[in-house]
Amino acid sequence: MTFTEWFLFFLFVQVIHFLGTWKLYQRAGRKAWEAAVPVYNAIILMKIINRPKWWVFLMFIPIVNLIIFPVVWVETIRSFGRHSTTETFLVVLTLGFYIYYVNYATKDAYIVDRDLKPRTEAGEWISSILFAVIAATIVHTYLMQPFTIPTSSLEKTLLVGDFLFVSKFHYGARVPQTAVAFPMVHDTIPGLGVKSYLNKPQIPYFRFPGFENVERNDIVVFNWPVDTVRKFFDRSGKHYKKPVDKKSNYVKRAVGVPGDSLSVVNGYVHINGEQLELPDRAKPQFSYVGQTKGQPFNPQSLYKLYDITDGYSYNPNNNFFVIRALSEENFERFKNHPNVASIRRYVDSAGVKNPSLFPNDGKRNWNNDNFGPIYIPEAGKTVEITPGSMPFYKEIIETYEGEEMGMNNKLSVNGTQVLLNGQPIDSYTFKQNYYWMMGDNRNNSEDSRTWGYVPENHIVGKPVFIWMSWDSNASGFDKIRWDRVFTTVKGDGEPTSFLPYFLIVLVIFFGWRYFKKRREA
């Protein structure tokens, strides 16, 4: 739905509200016309049901309003003496239309000083839970979202088992585009394995202003643009297409920002012709191959001594081994291992073709280690569109700036001419910024080299804090990585844990409360 369609829908809801409540407004000592004025009618309704005016604000927050509207419906009928459990269920199940019955078919007097305290303990629990969910949903959607690192693509910068807080406000929080969804879950309701949302209606893309832009080398959480996680199917057996904000969450490093020319040379990223300098905490990993002196390695020993977490493979027939991921620092130590006869970094030679890489047309001799150059699109910039360049921008024009912005764009080629919706074009101006996301685990990361650009409207947030870290490769008490608990994601030097300071604050706080209670007693 467009903003215009949502505005018309809003006016339609106002008409529905007026027709169903104007007599109730009169019974409460107000004027009938007050039920017809948008927003003002909600403020007056809060006075009638004796609830705070800030509830009106909650009614306009997507997802939160799905919780607050049923509460307002129930409070409305209770303000006119309708307290029974049956009527409570009726007003919710009829989506508020039971209020029409109360408005036209009853003459119940308005209860001026209605007791707002729930009449049962269960009611009090439900009320507390509802507003806890509302508060958590606001925080989760607009401020800070918990996130778990699921894969090793950013090892050793972010580790599998790191539990993060992802800031929504650094880059500006997005208003949820999916208007009807289960609160505080992503695309699936936990335990049930069913879809957590309805595809329609959709809210037009809008992002609140942030206080910084995505900068080169930032670690970013985003919605995977080409989501093909086949969790949901319709009856025809076709893949279920997800809305933008319900696509799978990924986390990578933004190595290319709008306007950059990016290439990968022998595994190293180059921006505008110069090798990218990574931050101090970044620890890129590469694959290594070699031969042993006749014995296999002990995997647990490789983990403990050289922090090799992605495992290795070994061929006893020729003593050949492959280390899937190893940092350069640990490589310098590992090459001196007494069982290593030879070892070298694995690099795909320039000119060796990997047809599965972006732009997936099989016409370029590119691979993961030697890739590009490629232009990262910038909003407002214009590029030439030819049959040769079309594969780079086809997904942008048809999907990211087509389907996801409410347009039906279709690119095709007629001889040497590119057609957009049947009309010849020789250039295209981008409507939003794009980013190039890659993992630090360069030979063991599915990233933009495979599926291309990440649109700005897919950006979720910025990881800022690790509150817990769980090591699945360790055993026993060592499973918690205590040195990573309560550490920041960004910064210079080795991460410093703020856990001791947090524990000191907790001890001071609870000690103060204890002595305060003793003094009052």
Side-chain angles (χ1 to χ4, degrees):
M1 292 174 67
T2 64
F3 282 112
T4 301
E5 291 170 332
W6 274 107
F7 179 70
L8 294 175
F9 175 73
F10 172 73
L11 293 180
F12 175 72
V13 170
Q14 300 307 305
V15 173
I16 296 295
H17 174 77
F18 170 74
L19 294 177
T21 60
W22 65 276
K23 284 192 173 184
L24 299 182
Y25 275 66
Q26 287 182 322
R27 285 190 225 171
R30 309 299 304 193
K31 303 295 184 181
W33 63 265
E34 291 181 298
V37 182
V39 183
Y40 176 73
N41 55 11
I43 294 173
I44 297 303
L45 182 60
M46 293 307 112
K47 290 183 178 181
I48 291 173
I49 67 176
N50 198 20
R51 291 299 183 178
K53 293 179 183 178
W54 56 263
W55 275 30
V56 176
F57 175 70
L58 299 180
M59 297 169 74
F60 289 91
I61 301 178
I63 307 303
V64 171
N65 53 16
L66 300 178
I67 304 171
I68 200 67
F69 269 116
V71 174
V72 171
W73 297 335
V74 171
E75 293 293 314
T76 299
I77 64 171
R78 287 182 177 177
S79 295
F80 295 89
R82 301 282 167 162
H83 289 277
S84 71
T85 302
T86 301
E87 287 180 299
T88 298
F89 277 109
L90 274 174
V91 75
V92 173
L93 293 176
T94 61
L95 301 181
F97 280 97
Y98 181 71
I99 295 175
Y100 271 66
Y101 170 79
V102 179
N103 186 61
Y104 290 107
T106 71
K107 298 188 180 298
D108 300 309
Y110 170 62
I111 304 173
V112 178
D113 296 318
R114 181 171 64 94
D115 185 6
L116 299 181
K117 187 176 181 180
R119 298 189 173 190
T120 64
E121 187 175 339
E124 192 163 346
W125 271 100
I126 292 172
S127 178
S128 299
I129 290 171
L130 281 175
F131 281 93
V133 170
I134 288 173
T137 300
I138 292 173
V139 171
H140 184 275
T141 305
Y142 298 98
L143 298 175
M144 201 74 71
Q145 177 182 341
F147 185 83
T148 306
I149 298 296
T151 69
S152 62
S153 69
L154 279 171
E155 298 260 346
K156 299 301 180 190
T157 310
L158 291 178
L159 310 183
V160 174
D162 280 350
F163 293 82
L164 310 174
F165 283 133
V166 175
S167 165
K168 300 290 188 72
F169 55 83
H170 273 74
Y171 303 137
R174 292 181 306 182
V175 171
Q177 291 170 262
T178 306
V180 182
F182 202 82
M184 291 194 305
V185 300
H186 193 53
D187 58 346
T188 309
I189 298 177
L192 299 180
V194 297
K195 219 169 60 166
S196 65
Y197 60 93
L198 298 181
N199 277 50
K200 295 182 179 180
Q202 285 283 301
I203 300 171
Y205 169 71
F206 176 79
R207 186 184 293 275
F208 289 102
F211 60 83
E212 66 179 58
N213 297 319
V214 176
E215 298 177 354
R216 192 179 298 116
N217 281 328
D218 275 358
I219 294 176
V220 181
V221 173
F222 57 94
N223 296 118
W224 190 21
V226 290
D227 195 341
T228 56
V229 179
R230 296 179 175 270
K231 290 184 179 179
F232 307 121
F233 296 82
D234 60 24
R235 291 182 179 178
S236 67
K238 295 180 180 178
H239 176 233
Y240 192 96
K241 186 171 183 178
K242 297 179 183 177
V244 171
D245 57 334
K246 294 301 177 183
K247 292 181 178 181
S248 300
N249 286 327
Y250 266 39
V251 59
K252 307 284 182 187
R253 188 182 299 279
V255 295
V257 297
D260 282 347
S261 175
L262 178 143
S263 57
V264 181
V265 181
N266 292 330
Y268 295 99
V269 175
H270 286 64
I271 300 295
N272 304 323
E274 296 184 5
Q275 184 171 323
L276 176 66
E277 186 175 339
L278 292 170
D280 184 54
R281 289 191 185 177
K283 294 180 174 62
Q285 294 193 112
F286 300 92
S287 293
Y288 289 83
V289 297
Q291 284 188 303
T292 70
K293 294 180 178 179
Q295 297 295 324
F297 297 108
N298 181 300
Q300 195 64 21
S301 176
L302 292 181
Y303 164 68
K304 289 183 177 180
L305 296 176
Y306 305 101
D307 203 18
I308 296 175
T309 51
D310 281 19
Y312 86 107
S313 58
Y314 178 71
N315 187 339
N317 295 323
N318 56 11
N319 301 325
F320 183 80
F321 69 87
V322 177
I323 303 292
R324 296 187 181 92
L326 184 65
S327 69
E328 292 177 326
E329 177 187 356
N330 285 321
F331 162 71
E332 292 299 324
R333 295 191 302 110
F334 182 68
K335 69 181 182 181
N336 297 317
H337 190 288
N339 190 38
V340 172
S342 65
I343 185 171
R344 63 178 175 84
R345 185 163 69 88
Y346 175 82
V347 180
D348 265 338
S349 301
V352 175
K353 180 188 293 187
N354 183 344
S356 65
L357 296 186
F358 182 80
N360 310 108
D361 59 355
K363 295 182 178 179
R364 290 158 187 83
N365 295 328
W366 292 356
N367 54 61
N368 273 329
D369 293 316
N370 287 279
F371 182 97
I374 190 169
Y375 171 70
I376 315 299
E378 182 178 4
K381 293 298 176 69
T382 300
V383 295
E384 184 182 10
I385 300 295
T386 65
S389 67
M390 188 185 81
F392 291 96
Y393 308 118
K394 181 177 173 61
E395 198 71 25
I396 288 177
I397 297 171
E398 289 188 342
T399 303
Y400 307 149
E401 298 190 357
E403 295 175 17
E404 290 167 3
M405 291 189 174
M407 296 175 282
N408 295 313
N409 288 340
K410 183 65 179 177
L411 278 180
S412 58
V413 177
N414 183 11
T416 60
Q417 181 68 62
V418 178
L419 307 178
L420 176 58
N421 302 326
Q423 300 299 316
I425 63 166
D426 56 17
S427 64
Y428 183 81
T429 302
F430 300 107
K431 296 178 174 61
Q432 62 176 322
N433 288 320
Y434 292 83
Y435 301 88
W436 195 261
M437 305 290 187
M438 287 177 59
D440 291 351
N441 197 345
R442 292 294 161 76
N443 295 102
N444 198 18
S445 171
E446 185 186 88
D447 48 38
S448 284
R449 290 171 292 181
T450 301
W451 32 257
Y453 309 110
V454 174
E456 188 167 39
N457 67 345
H458 284 57
I459 300 296
V460 174
K462 181 176 184 175
V464 292
F465 195 71
I466 301 171
W467 62 272
M468 172 59 77
S469 186
W470 186 262
D471 188 354
S472 59
N473 289 301
S475 58
F477 188 70
D478 291 334
K479 282 190 174 180
I480 296 179
R481 302 184 184 102
W482 291 103
D483 60 326
R484 296 184 66 80
V485 175
F486 277 60
T487 60
T488 57
V489 173
K490 190 174 182 179
D492 296 324
E494 290 298 316
T496 300
S497 175
F498 291 92
L499 180 60
Y501 306 102
F502 174 73
L503 295 176
I504 290 171
V505 170
L506 279 184
V507 169
I508 292 173
F509 174 73
F510 284 108
W512 172 77
R513 286 192 61 183
Y514 172 77
F515 287 110
K516 184 173 180 288
K517 287 182 178 179
R518 286 197 62 179
R519 190 163 52 246
E520 290 174 352

